[in-house]
Amino acid sequence: MIDIGPNSYNGSVVYGSVSSARDRHGVFGGALSFSGDVVEIPQLRNYNFGSELTISFWMNRTVNTDYMGIINNGITTESFDVRMGRENNGTFLFAQSNWSDGRTSSSSRNVIRIGNWHHVAVVLNNGSSKMYIDGNFIHESVTNPGTLAVINRPVIIGANANGRNHENFRGFLDDVILFNEALSDEAVRSIANDSYSSAFNITLSPSVEAPSVPSTGGNINYDLSFNNDDTNTTSTFQTWGIVTLEDGQDIVVHPTSSINVAPGTSYTLSAQPFSVEEWWPAGQHTFRWYVSDPAEEGGNILSARFTFRKD
C-alpha cells in the first residue's frame, strides 16, 4: 500500500486486515488479498483530478456473488467508481464517472472470469470513459466535455463507498496505479502484456558495502545504471528517489525530474548522494530509485532498492 510515486499518497487499512498474496506471476508478497477489507487513501479527498485520469490495476475475483467495489471515491456521487456486478455469475465489470457536465458509465460485457487474473484499465478523458480488459478495448461511453467532480471523500480500495463493510471485494489486487493523463490504446496494451518490462534494466547499489550514517545524519552515495533497449521508442523518462523509514514513513529525497536516454544507450550515475537527516529515527531504512514513462510506453514504473542504517 506504499505509493511508489513521488507524492507519498500511501494507503492504509481502515477495515479488516489486508494480507499478502501471490501476484499474477506467482511471486508471494507481490499482491494483496482482500476478504472484506478496505484500504483508504486520505490524501485524495477533495482531489482535483482534472479532465484526464487513467485507473489501472490487476484483479482476480475469487467468488461470484453480490456486487463488489474495487476502487472509487463515492457511489452515485463520485469522481470515479469501478465495481463488479453479480450479473452472469459475477463476470460483469462497470465504471462510472461524474463530470462537471454529465455522467458516464462503461461496462465489460461479462468477460471477467472468476479465479483468473485480468488487467483492467479505465481511461477517463474530458467526458469520455473507455474500458479495457487484458489490453482489449471493451466499451466507451461519452457525455459532455468537462472535468471530473471534486468529491469530499478519500479514494477507497476494496469496497464501495456506501461504507467500510458494504459490497466488499473478495479476491486479489495488484499494481493499482492512477495516472493523471488519458493513456493511449498502445499504452494500455503494453501494461496488460508486460511488454515494457524487457526494455529496462535498473541496477542500483550503495557505493560502499553495508552503508550507515551516524545519529547526526550524513550522506549515502550510490551507483546506478539504467539501460534503454534498442527496440524501444522511448527516450524521455521521469525519475525520482524515495527513502522509506523503518516505521513506514516515506521521504522524497530526489524530486521528480526528466532524463533523456536514447534507445540502445545507458544512463549511469556514480557516487550520487542523498542526504540522511538528523531527525530521522535510528534503524534500517530503504532507498528506492524509480523510473517511469507513462507518456510513452504505457505507464511502466520500475524501481531498484537497497537498505542502509542510521545509528
Side-chain angles (χ1 to χ4, degrees), residues 27-246:
V27 178
F28 185 79
L32 292 179
S33 175
F34 287 77
S35 57
D37 318 293
V38 181
V39 171
E40 227 176 60
I41 308 173
Q43 299 94 331
L44 295 180
R45 182 186 292 271
N46 286 318
Y47 193 85
N48 184 0
F49 292 102
S51 61
E52 295 187 25
L53 174 67
T54 298
I55 305 149
S56 169
F57 58 89
W58 290 83
M59 61 163 286
N60 183 339
R61 176 175 178 170
T62 54
V63 297
N64 62 1
T65 57
D66 210 351
Y67 293 97
M68 292 187 183
I70 300 176
I71 180 170
N72 61 73
N73 67 342
I75 181 170
T76 68
T77 301
E78 72 287 294
S79 302
F80 61 89
D81 171 21
V82 184
R83 279 184 285 158
M84 293 208 69
R86 58 189 174 207
E87 298 84 355
N88 288 67
N89 292 318
T91 62
F92 181 74
L93 182 78
F94 60 97
Q96 300 191 54
S97 52
N98 183 13
W99 302 82
S100 55
D101 295 319
R103 293 177 56 81
T104 61
S105 180
S106 54
S107 59
S108 70
R109 301 176 187 170
N110 307 315
V111 296
I112 298 295
R113 296 178 62 190
I114 304 302
N116 286 48
W117 280 104
H118 292 280
H119 177 258
V120 176
V122 178
V123 179
L124 305 176
N125 187 8
N126 204 22
S128 163
S129 174
K130 290 183 177 181
M131 177 176 287
Y132 300 78
I133 296 180
D134 298 328
N136 300 311
F137 170 70
I138 300 296
H139 183 241
E140 180 181 14
S141 179
V142 178
T143 186
N144 296 320
T147 57
L148 286 161
V150 176
I151 303 298
N152 185 22
R153 289 190 63 92
V155 167
I156 70 169
I157 300 170
N160 79 24
N162 272 347
R164 294 177 176 176
N165 188 20
H166 186 79
E167 296 181 354
N168 297 83
F169 180 76
R170 297 184 183 276
F172 310 105
L173 294 175
D174 191 9
D175 289 348
V176 179
I177 308 177
L178 302 181
F179 299 97
N180 62 350
E181 60 183 315
L183 295 185
S184 66
D185 292 1
E186 178 186 11
V188 171
R189 283 194 300 270
S190 76
I191 301 176
N193 296 331
D194 284 327
S195 60
Y196 50 76
S197 59
S198 61
F200 315 112
N201 179 24
I202 305 173
T203 58
L204 174 72
S205 62
S207 296
V208 298
E209 188 176 353
S212 64
V213 296
S215 60
T216 54
N219 285 342
I220 296 290
N221 294 330
Y222 63 90
D223 301 322
L224 171 77
S225 177
F226 164 54
N227 303 321
N228 192 1
D229 190 87
D230 57 7
T231 63
N232 190 13
T233 59
T234 301
S235 59
T236 301
F237 302 86
Q238 298 293 313
T239 71
W240 60 95
I242 292 178
V243 167
T244 301
L245 303 182
E246 194 172 63

